[in-house]
Amino acid sequence: MQSAYDQLFQAIETGELKPADRLLETELATRFGVSRTPVREAIRRLEAEGIVIHMPRVGAVVRTLGQQEIVELYEMRIVLETTASAMAAKHASGAEIRTLEGLNEDMAQNSGDPIKVAILNRAFHHCIMQAARNQFLAHSYHALSHALILLGKTTLETDARVATVVAQHADIIEALKAANPDDAADKMRQHMEASLDHRLKALHIAH
């Protein structure tokens, strides 16, 4: 059975609980089938991780990121992921490259299911991070990836958007296969910058 923390994290990650949603202990305890104590502890842990904030007269809510925070988050993501791609071009095994190809194919085949595509997309980026063979880089990325769930709804919602991302991923894979660190970093940078552009466009449409 998943812990209350894992269930709460997953509910935020999948968008069941959205930015600005209130986190009511009694309601969550009933939902997760646990007492209020583990729910309270889970909320406190997420608060320490910057995922949840405590608002006066409201209580615990899922944190909302503003445009500047989204840009800052992506700036750090670009630094970490371009570095990881360059390192992965030197260290990735054949099995890891085949895993990346498989994840990318699965994304293409599941383009009608945004949540599944988003999970596959995260797995793709995580696999590159693992292939970089640098524990300190991986640790920094893990801390950042927690904040990524605050971006809210996935932007991988249309077949056209998924096709674009899959094509960008394919370019990254080719650079890894060629063991070309500069090209791998460049392709990842282009991918991340395009992702940020799309995210900001979606933010403005929502407002």
Side-chain angles (χ1 to χ4, degrees), residues 59-152:
V61 299
V62 181
R63 186 176 163 199
T64 303
L65 294 180
Q67 180 172 315
Q68 183 56 34
E69 288 174 307
I70 292 171
V71 171
E72 288 172 12
L73 188 56
Y74 268 90
E75 282 174 344
M76 276 310 297
R77 198 177 171 193
I78 287 167
V79 169
L80 295 175
E81 297 216 34
T82 53
T83 303
S85 297
M87 290 180 174
K90 299 175 187 174
H91 303 299
S93 66
E96 284 168 327
I97 287 172
R98 286 191 294 277
T99 298
L100 289 168
E101 288 176 327
L103 288 166
N104 210 31
E105 283 167 19
D106 286 348
M107 281 181 67
Q109 288 166 7
N110 288 280
S111 60
D113 185 343
I115 290 174
K116 187 163 187 181
V117 172
I119 290 167
L120 289 164
N121 184 53
R122 276 193 288 274
F124 181 92
H125 286 270
H126 181 70
C127 186
I128 290 177
M129 192 58 62
Q130 294 300 108
R133 306 279 187 276
N134 188 301
Q135 60 177 319
F136 299 103
L137 183 67
H139 182 74
S140 298
Y141 183 73
H142 178 72
L144 185 76
S145 64
H146 267 46
L148 290 175
I149 71 166
L150 291 171
L151 290 169

Side-chain angles (χ1 to χ4, degrees), residues 6-63:
D6 287 336
Q7 290 186 78
L8 185 52
F9 187 93
Q10 193 172 36
I12 298 169
E13 186 177 36
T14 58
E16 287 175 53
L17 289 169
K18 297 174 178 58
D21 279 358
R22 290 179 71 191
L23 302 178
L24 302 170
E25 286 177 18
T26 45
E27 193 179 284
L28 293 171
T30 304
R31 182 173 174 171
F32 300 152
V34 295
S35 69
R36 287 176 63 178
T37 303
V39 170
R40 190 179 304 126
E41 287 167 359
I43 289 171
R44 279 187 190 145
R45 187 173 158 192
L46 286 168
E47 206 171 333
E49 291 170 353
I51 307 298
V52 168
I53 57 170
H54 198 87
M55 294 180 69
R57 296 186 297 280
V58 176
V61 299
V62 181
R63 186 176 163 199

